[in-house]
Amino acid sequence: MTFPSLFERKICKFAFSWFPPSPNTHHPTPITQHPTPITYHPTPMSGIYAHIPFCKSRCIYCGFYSTTLLPLQDEYVDAMLHELDERKDYLGNEPITTIYIGGGTPSMLSPDNLSRLCIRLKEFSGDSVEEFTVECNPDDVTPQLASLLASVGVNRVSMGAQTFSDERLAFIHRRHKAHQVKEAVENLRNAGIKNISVDLMFGFPDETVENWKSDIEQALSLEVQHISAYSLMYEEGTPLYKLLEDGKIKEISEETSLEMYETLITLLTNAGYEHYEISNFALPGYRSKHNSSYWKRVSYLGIGAAAHSYNLTSRQWNVSDVKLYIKGDSIIENSELLDSTEQYNDLVTTALRTCEGINLTTLSDEYREYILKASEKSIKQGNLIIENNHIHLTRKGIFISDAVMVELIK
């Protein structure tokens, strides 16, 4: 594939996935302030991401940090609540408007652990929370779990359906069956949770465009409020990559993958979904507020093993080891200060993923002049357009977003 960023790993799933650590040290670097090239005057807001790394088994494509050490969950949740108390000042006085518990598989937690984590996060965040999301496996969403989630203030659930083919689910080692997605949606609605998102995946070996179209149509039949879709990625170090390397499976062609993505856009937009970010679609009023904050330069606190935090001018990340995290001696693995160029480049690679794109009025004169000059080629080619002081990708440009971003970064 020549366009990895278009169908990259699920960046909206975790706060930390956009910013993989480069240094390998357990000693955080002191942070000082650098000037910012971007001036923002938005409504004050921030978010919290809580990472639950536990999985019953690992999917063969997953390159994120996860563990099957579920017996450690009591100690792990204790450590998360301790970290939350210790870092209560990280976001300053910014009101917390979104909470997102991701994984891993948060729905693998015991009812007691899930309940006490949710309650404490809600107490910590106060009355300003507008969206509280928990990721769940479809087969975990029983009527009892749905009722528990609703009772502790969760108002949005994201589920990894991936595909409605049991054969393809078994291939990637997903533990649910296709029919359980519909049952989970019904259980959530019966419990009063009306904001539901499902993830889809395309590009399986030997998958056809018609197979993919069937998956999209079945997702649409659920009438959920939000759909995310990602191409199957062959990440080095995963069992899936080993199968590819050994010649046991073969990637679909770039042409087929492009056709699948075009089919996705067409079917979902025709069904009334807004294509508001490269991999995300929502019915009007149901964009993911938490995930949108990653693309709109909003501060967030990440708690848990491997979680990242970001405060506009710096970011830091926790150790990617449950046992080290529980031990608690030094949970922050490293920190980095973002200079003005890094802040600008981050803006390009996040905001440009959205349908609104980059607000030119928020840039300093230096960086506004730079991006206007750097974008001339892509504008002439019809890949970028400037409207209402925003520069954004055209539908044509979405398909080569990786190349366009490379032209704009400094």
Side-chain angles (χ1 to χ4, degrees):
M1 297 282 183
T2 59
F3 47 101
S5 76
L6 179 58
F7 308 123
E8 67 190 290
R9 286 170 54 186
K10 187 178 179 186
I11 67 149
C12 64
K13 183 175 180 182
F14 307 118
F16 52 86
S17 62
W18 255 112
F19 308 115
S22 45
N24 185 17
T25 172
H26 293 282
H27 304 287
T29 303
I31 293 177
T32 56
Q33 293 295 317
H34 273 329
T36 174
I38 306 158
T39 302
Y40 277 100
H41 302 285
T43 302
M45 59 186 291
S46 61
I48 295 181
Y49 175 82
H51 186 54
I52 306 299
F54 302 111
C55 291
K56 187 174 183 179
S57 60
R58 289 189 179 93
C59 301
I60 65 172
Y61 58 84
C62 185
F64 292 115
Y65 174 67
S66 63
T67 178
T68 56
L69 297 173
L70 196 60
L72 296 177
Q73 64 167 296
D74 290 354
E75 296 171 82
Y76 182 75
V77 173
D78 287 342
M80 292 181 78
L81 298 183
H82 178 70
E83 181 186 5
L84 191 63
D85 289 335
E86 288 292 305
R87 302 182 66 192
K88 61 181 180 295
D89 297 325
Y90 182 80
L91 297 173
N93 295 319
E94 297 288 316
I96 297 167
T97 56
T98 65
I99 302 171
Y100 195 109
I101 303 179
T105 314
S107 54
M108 284 287 293
L109 290 178
S110 68
D112 179 63
N113 281 326
L114 184 57
S115 178
R116 68 192 182 104
L117 177 61
C118 289
I119 290 171
R120 183 68 190 99
L121 285 169
K122 199 73 166 29
E123 289 173 347
F124 180 89
S125 304
D127 297 330
S128 56
V129 175
E130 300 171 3
E131 180 186 271
F132 189 166
T133 304
V134 175
E135 289 185 347
C136 296
N137 250 42
D139 55 322
D140 289 333
V141 186
T142 60
Q144 292 76 21
L145 178 65
S147 295
L148 184 154
L149 292 173
S151 71
V152 294
V154 173
N155 58 16
R156 184 176 184 271
V157 166
S158 177
M159 291 189 295
Q162 314 307 6
T163 175
F164 292 90
S165 161
D166 285 340
E167 181 181 357
R168 289 195 289 275
L169 287 170
F171 168 69
I172 58 175
H173 293 189
R174 295 290 291 183
R175 56 184 170 88
H176 73 275
K177 299 294 185 182
H179 71 88
Q180 292 176 302
V181 178
K182 182 178 180 180
E183 293 172 2
V185 170
E186 291 174 350
N187 288 336
L188 290 168
R189 286 180 176 149
N190 289 338
I193 298 175
K194 309 296 185 183
N195 190 353
I196 301 168
S197 177
V198 297
D199 295 349
L200 298 179
M201 184 175 287
F202 62 96
F204 292 87
D206 300 320
E207 184 182 17
T208 66
V209 174
E210 285 304 310
N211 293 152
W212 173 230
K213 185 178 179 182
S214 175
D215 274 352
I216 298 170
E217 290 172 343
Q218 290 187 71
L220 287 172
S221 72
L222 298 173
E223 298 182 340
V224 293
Q225 288 66 41
H226 190 280
I227 296 174
S228 301
Y230 310 92
S231 176
L232 184 66
M233 294 297 292
Y234 295 82
E235 295 195 48
E236 193 170 351
T238 63
L240 181 66
Y241 185 85
K242 186 71 165 56
L243 289 173
L244 181 68
E245 197 175 38
D246 292 345
K248 295 180 179 180
I249 57 173
K250 184 179 178 181
E251 284 188 85
I252 62 170
S253 69
E254 180 176 327
E255 291 73 20
T256 300
S257 189
L258 285 168
E259 186 178 354
M260 286 179 171
Y261 186 63
E262 180 72 47
T263 300
L264 171 74
I265 296 173
T266 300
L267 290 181
L268 292 190
T269 53
N270 285 349
Y273 288 78
E274 298 175 335
H275 186 195
Y276 72 100
E277 191 271 345
I278 285 178
S279 299
N280 288 274
F281 302 77
L283 293 176
Y286 287 97
R287 296 184 186 189
S288 170
K289 294 180 180 179
H290 184 85
N291 293 335
S292 293
S293 69
Y294 302 146
W295 310 312
K296 292 182 177 180
R297 204 167 179 263
V298 172
S299 298
Y300 54 84
L301 169 64
I303 64 169
H308 277 58
S309 300
Y310 171 69
N311 67 357
L312 306 187
T313 59
S314 67
R315 52 181 169 247
Q316 58 190 50
W317 50 94
N318 291 348
V319 292
S320 299
D321 185 302
V322 164
K323 291 182 178 179
L324 284 176
Y325 179 79
I326 290 172
K327 189 177 180 183
D329 290 342
S330 180
I331 64 169
I332 298 175
E333 182 172 344
N334 214 325
S335 304
E336 64 179 347
L337 180 66
L338 305 174
D339 62 28
S340 59
T341 297
E342 288 171 319
Q343 292 177 50
Y344 165 78
N345 289 341
D346 280 352
L347 178 72
V348 169
T349 54
T350 52
L352 205 61
R353 293 181 61 89
T354 68
C355 60
E356 289 85 7
I358 299 169
N359 184 346
L360 296 173
T361 66
T362 64
L363 295 175
S364 66
D365 291 343
E366 175 191 352
Y367 285 92
R368 185 164 57 250
E369 290 173 9
Y370 179 84
I371 197 171
L372 289 174
K373 181 67 176 176
S375 63
E376 287 178 356
K377 178 182 175 182
S378 288
I379 290 173
K380 288 179 181 178
Q381 293 173 336
N383 297 320
L384 284 172
I385 190 170
I386 298 177
E387 295 177 312
N388 300 319
N389 287 317
H390 284 69
I391 184 167
H392 64 86
L393 293 165
T394 62
R395 179 157 175 166
K396 175 186 174 185
I398 290 174
F399 290 89
I400 57 167
S401 60
D402 199 24
V404 174
M405 290 178 189
V406 167
E407 291 178 357
L408 300 187
I409 62 176
K410 194 169 184 178

